[in-house]
Amino acid sequence: MQISLLLRTLQQRKFAQTLALMKDSSIKYVFSDSWKELYFHDSPIKNIELSIDKICVELDFAHVLKSHSGNTFGKTICGKNATLKIDGVSNLEIVGYKNPDNIEYVIPNEDLELNEIMTHGLLDDGRFTIEGFNESQLGGWCKIIFFASKIELSFNEIMESWVTIGEKEKVK
């Protein structure tokens, strides 16, 4: 009798834990790779974390272009509360720019404070770049350069207030 009660209690707990995970798991949309078909311009950064081989960036929003192979919406979409996870990071380099001469200087990883992504790209040698605005550093501009093996963008909600104007997206 006690064994069946214990099993029932364990099953109820497991079910409750599964429900809690489902409730907390608000990620509905995940897009892997295709760095050039992701768009982060003017997206405020909520948080950025760097580790030995990972970069995790929490953004207010991010776009997935119509041309992205995983985009089945037939138009560019804008995801709210986006998370950019980059795995297999190597050769990480963070460079700041001192104005007005655009003189480069190295920013130690622990001093990185990036407030907004302005642009991103892929260099000829296969390195990825993220450039952004950094209010606390002299000059205000910062570039993160790195190699990576996996890139994943996820978000839980598509911003419905975005309308297509040609190939550009604008907020109403």
Side-chain angles (χ1 to χ4, degrees):
M1 185 74 135
Q2 286 185 341
I3 292 176
S4 64
L5 181 62
L6 179 62
L7 284 173
R8 193 171 342 137
T9 304
L10 288 173
Q11 287 172 337
Q12 288 172 345
R13 280 188 189 162
K14 184 169 179 142
F15 180 72
Q17 288 172 340
T18 302
L19 279 179
L21 283 173
M22 287 172 65
K23 196 180 242 185
D24 290 344
S25 179
S26 58
I27 295 175
K28 295 180 184 176
Y29 308 99
V30 178
F31 299 89
S32 296
D33 303 315
S34 298
W35 182 248
K36 290 182 179 181
E37 280 83 31
L38 303 176
Y39 188 72
F40 310 107
H41 183 73
D42 285 343
S43 183
I45 294 174
K46 295 177 182 181
N47 186 35
I48 186 166
E49 293 179 19
L50 303 173
S51 67
I52 293 172
D53 64 346
K54 294 181 184 187
I55 299 172
C56 185
V57 185
E58 294 176 26
L59 304 158
D60 274 356
F61 61 85
H63 298 87
V64 179
L65 300 180
K66 179 181 177 179
S67 58
H68 191 288
S69 62
N71 183 344
T72 59
F73 293 90
K75 65 179 183 176
T76 296
I77 57 172
C78 181
K80 186 176 180 180
N81 298 321
T83 300
L84 177 63
K85 292 180 184 176
I86 305 168
D87 291 320
V89 172
S90 62
N91 296 12
L92 178 67
E93 182 182 353
I94 304 171
V95 178
Y97 298 95
K98 289 184 182 178
N99 286 334
D101 301 322
N102 281 336
I103 299 169
E104 289 187 7
Y105 63 99
V106 174
I107 298 174
N109 292 4
E110 62 273 6
D111 292 343
L112 177 65
E113 292 180 24
L114 201 56
N115 305 100
E116 184 176 307
I117 295 178
M118 299 307 288
T119 187
H120 71 288
L122 187 61
L123 301 176
D124 289 339
D125 64 2
R127 290 183 297 164
F128 297 92
T129 65
I130 298 173
E131 289 188 59
F133 187 67
N134 179 337
E135 293 175 354
S136 67
Q137 299 291 335
L138 294 174
W141 289 96
C142 178
K143 182 189 288 189
I144 304 171
I145 306 165
F146 55 93
F147 286 104
S149 62
K150 183 179 179 188
I151 293 171
E152 181 179 277
L153 176 69
S154 60
F155 47 85
N156 59 358
E157 183 179 346
I158 294 175
M159 294 174 68
E160 297 296 335
S161 62
W162 285 69
V163 294
T164 301
I165 302 174
E167 283 299 307
K168 298 284 182 183
E169 299 286 331
K170 300 229 178 200
V171 175
K172 286 184 181 177

